[in-house]
Amino acid sequence: MEVSSLVAGKLLEIKAVKLQPEKPFTWASGWKSPIYCDNRKTLSYPAVRSLIKIELARMVMEKYPDVEAIAGVATGAIAQGALVAEELGLPFVYIRSSKKDHGMENLVEGYLEEGKKVVVIEDLISTGGSSLKAVQAIREEKKCNVLGMVAIFTYGFPLAEEQFSKAGVELTTLSNYEAIIEKALSINYIPESALPTLREWRKDPSHWNAE
């Protein structure tokens, strides 16, 4: 079984991902969405937590064997990043969403030597904005070389793909929106009649209307 399908199945099983085409969720951005993803739930299930840690670590070493440090994006990927760094025996730092307003006013927390080769761990990719701000912080504050970003899940929005391309950041994920839909269909989590709605939403989520 492909990793993307295996991880998709686990995310659905523990309800880290929920699909409700008929009763959409409202995201913090105000967008209406037929899907909701909370990968922090994976930390509460030891077998799933271990699977994700091992697969993220494997992906990092396969794609970036010369990596020298791991960085996690706050807050969702702090734990995931620390687990990967522990698995690989590498230094770990995390990136805040905004600078502290006191003390050293750090964006990057932890010790990271300038010029190191870093892989950034993220839990979820939506538009890519906050994830790429983290990359920028590592590049600018620590003068480090970001080899790429590895994440658990992406919605696969065209906007995100465009943003990552512009920023020159390679993104690799364990699973994705298409894998979730395929797995949900195969286990009868959703009916085939829900497919047009789910695919339409992904094309233009900011203007999608559930009606």
Side-chain angles (χ1 to χ4, degrees):
M1 184 186 291
E2 282 189 12
V3 170
S4 60
S5 179
L6 176 63
V7 172
K10 294 300 180 186
L11 295 179
L12 287 166
E13 184 183 312
I14 65 171
K15 297 183 172 61
V17 169
K18 294 180 181 179
L19 292 167
Q20 291 181 190
E22 303 305 318
K23 191 182 175 186
F25 301 95
T26 302
W27 286 4
S29 61
W31 289 6
K32 295 291 183 184
S33 168
I35 183 172
Y36 185 77
C37 180
D38 180 6
N39 286 326
R40 282 169 287 224
K41 280 194 172 180
T42 62
L43 299 168
S44 303
Y45 296 83
V48 180
R49 182 178 69 217
S50 184
L51 168 70
I52 286 174
K53 172 190 72 173
I54 289 165
E55 290 300 334
L56 285 172
R58 180 187 60 76
M59 198 170 270
V60 169
M61 289 313 296
E62 278 184 4
K63 293 188 72 67
Y64 311 109
D66 53 348
V67 59
E68 296 173 305
I70 298 293
V73 182
T75 60
I78 293 177
Q80 307 289 2
L83 286 166
V84 171
E86 178 67 17
E87 182 74 10
L88 298 177
L90 291 172
F92 174 72
V93 297
Y94 72 85
I95 308 112
R96 292 174 166 274
S97 56
S98 58
K99 284 188 179 184
K100 285 198 296 188
D101 58 5
H102 59 280
M104 298 294 289
E105 298 184 354
N106 296 328
L107 258 180
V108 181
E109 296 288 6
Y111 177 69
L112 180 61
E113 284 183 46
E114 284 194 6
K116 288 293 183 184
K117 295 171 183 172
V118 180
V119 172
V120 179
I121 303 294
E122 181 63 289
D123 71 322
L124 173 67
I125 307 295
S126 53
T127 62
S130 57
S131 304
L132 290 171
K133 274 174 66 179
V135 169
Q136 186 180 4
I138 292 283
R139 285 171 169 171
E140 293 181 359
E141 193 171 291
K142 297 299 180 180
K143 307 294 186 289
C144 284
N145 175 16
V146 175
L147 301 178
M149 181 177 291
V150 177
I152 298 173
F153 181 77
T154 179
Y155 292 111
F157 294 144
L159 172 61
E161 291 171 5
E162 185 183 319
Q163 300 242 65
F164 273 87
S165 178
K166 273 186 188 171
V169 179
E170 182 179 41
L171 172 67
T172 313
T173 64
L174 295 186
S175 197
N176 54 68
Y177 189 68
E178 283 301 324
I180 285 284
I181 290 176
E182 285 174 21
K183 177 58 73 170
L185 267 177
S186 73
I187 61 175
N188 296 316
Y189 183 107
I190 54 169
E192 201 155 333
S193 59
L195 278 180
T197 299
L198 290 166
R199 294 215 160 105
E200 194 61 32
W201 169 77
R202 213 259 301 268
K203 289 179 191 171
D204 189 6
S206 62
H207 296 105
W208 182 72
N209 192 327
E211 297 302 324

